[in-house]
Amino acid sequence: MTRESTIASAPPAALSDDEVARVGALLYRWTGMIFGANKRYYIERRIGARMARSGMAEAARYLDFVGTNPAEREALINAFTINETYFYREEHQFAALARQILPELIRTRRPGDLIRIWSMPCSTGEEAYSIAIWLLENWPLVDAYHIEIVGSDLDTAALAQAQAGRYAARALARLPADVVERYFEPERGHRRKIIDDLRESVRFTPANIVDRATLTGLGRFDVILCRNLLIYFDDDSRQLAASNLFESLNSGGFVCLGHSESMARITDRFTMARLEDAIVYRKP
């Protein structure tokens, strides 16, 4: 049974106003995301599903349990994360990566040097794999440098799907047919599995953008794609995330945000760069 089918089959929990607020406070502390009273139905559906899976009938008891049980906390976070993504989403940024960002970075590199790219949050892997595919298809120097692509997310269930590399037709809809044929093997039911060489070229690992302790082991990157995440944060969480992104970049590195997000409204530590294909932010 999938996560969404579990949520659909379980009855919503009947939470009091205080319990809704308590759920919101827990999720904010753990993830930086805002779930207020206006998301009551969304909260009650997901809490109801986790209560059913845990065999608990009382919300207060479940919230006590999740506060002290790391495995259940992970499962609850997974239930609340939003994984709306597909291959080649906002592809103008991939164009900027190949046409402007990487050519700028290699001005101070030699062939064979390491270039590190981070997809955060990576959800079920479409973005991280899109980076690899786009560079193979569109950057003539891709084989001249050691390109390391890392995908991270706090949703461990999504990461497991990313590592498996299996996708339905909807996720592949924006890809040209010849690209699908080159990089995906057909499976039953119109599903496709990404070829092993490409799947093994991307590393996936859990991380939380508002928890510095989960990021330090990842090292620093030359390019970070952190798209459509900060819109779910309040000002304090955005500033913490921006600080962690800054510390995760090499000097001269680039951050790509979602089309409705602006680093300039969060911090002045980055320099905005208006490229031909996209607006990005650079660490001086």
Side-chain angles (χ1 to χ4, degrees):
M1 182 177 287
T2 66
R3 175 169 61 185
E4 290 307 315
S5 62
T6 299
I7 292 170
S9 62
L15 302 181
S16 67
D17 291 346
D18 286 345
E19 287 167 342
V20 169
R22 186 178 175 189
V23 173
L26 289 172
L27 290 167
Y28 179 75
R29 190 173 78 214
W30 294 333
T31 72
M33 293 188 290
I34 303 296
F35 292 93
N38 61 323
K39 299 282 184 69
R40 172 183 284 274
Y41 184 71
Y42 185 87
I43 291 169
E44 291 183 332
R45 287 296 301 271
R46 278 147 180 80
I47 292 293
R50 291 311 311 166
M51 287 172 61
R53 290 292 295 268
S54 303
M56 296 184 185
E58 297 179 3
R61 182 185 168 210
Y62 173 76
L63 294 178
D64 288 339
F65 171 67
V66 75
T68 59
N69 186 291
E72 183 58 28
R73 179 176 69 182
E74 179 180 302
L76 183 64
I77 290 171
N78 291 351
F80 273 85
T81 53
I82 299 168
N83 296 307
E84 172 61 30
T85 187
Y86 47 84
F87 283 88
Y88 279 15
R89 186 182 189 186
E90 297 191 40
E91 63 184 72
H92 62 282
Q93 291 187 340
F94 301 133
L97 178 65
R99 293 167 54 176
Q100 291 113 37
I101 293 174
L102 289 175
E104 174 64 21
L105 288 171
I106 64 172
R107 290 175 57 193
T108 57
R109 311 287 174 95
R110 293 180 297 180
D113 281 353
L114 176 65
I115 297 173
R116 304 190 73 221
I117 303 173
W118 190 25
S119 170
M120 172 66 187
C122 70
S123 185
T124 46
E126 288 91 331
E127 178 175 275
Y129 290 129
S130 289
I131 296 167
I133 293 170
W134 187 276
L135 295 184
L136 287 168
E137 292 290 304
N138 297 283
W139 194 42
L141 296 178
V142 65
D143 292 325
Y145 293 87
H146 179 194
I147 308 294
E148 181 184 1
I149 300 172
V150 178
S152 296
D153 206 286
L154 55 73
D155 185 337
T156 54
L159 287 175
Q161 293 182 53
Q163 289 170 331
R166 287 183 166 89
Y167 297 98
R170 181 177 179 274
L172 304 171
R174 294 288 298 274
L175 291 176
D178 61 322
V179 169
V180 173
E181 290 300 318
R182 275 196 292 278
Y183 298 107
F184 296 85
E185 299 173 347
E187 293 193 323
R188 296 178 61 184
H190 303 290
R191 293 180 66 83
R192 293 258 180 173
K193 180 182 179 181
I194 204 156
I195 60 173
D196 287 345
D197 283 350
L198 188 59
R199 184 169 55 85
E200 293 168 2
S201 71
V202 179
R203 179 166 66 94
F204 293 99
T205 185
N208 185 341
I209 196 62
V210 296
D211 183 354
R212 186 67 199 162
T214 70
L215 307 179
T216 52
L218 297 177
R220 291 189 172 180
F221 296 87
D222 299 296
V223 184
I224 301 174
L225 282 77
C226 182
R227 308 190 299 179
N228 306 307
L229 173 64
L230 303 184
I231 55 175
Y232 298 104
F233 290 174
D234 65 1
D235 289 343
D236 290 341
S237 294
R238 287 190 191 101
Q239 290 179 13
L240 177 56
S243 176
N244 286 335
L245 289 171
F246 189 88
E247 296 302 325
S248 296
L249 271 180
N250 288 320
S251 296
F254 294 84
V255 170
C256 301
L257 300 181
H259 68 275
S260 63
E261 299 168 318
S262 171
M263 192 67 79
R265 294 197 290 266
I266 303 171
T267 178
D268 60 2
R269 300 179 75 185
F270 294 88
T271 300
M272 186 173 70
R274 295 182 179 272
L275 306 181
E276 180 181 344
D277 295 295
I279 294 175
V280 299
Y281 301 90
R282 194 171 192 186
K283 180 175 180 176

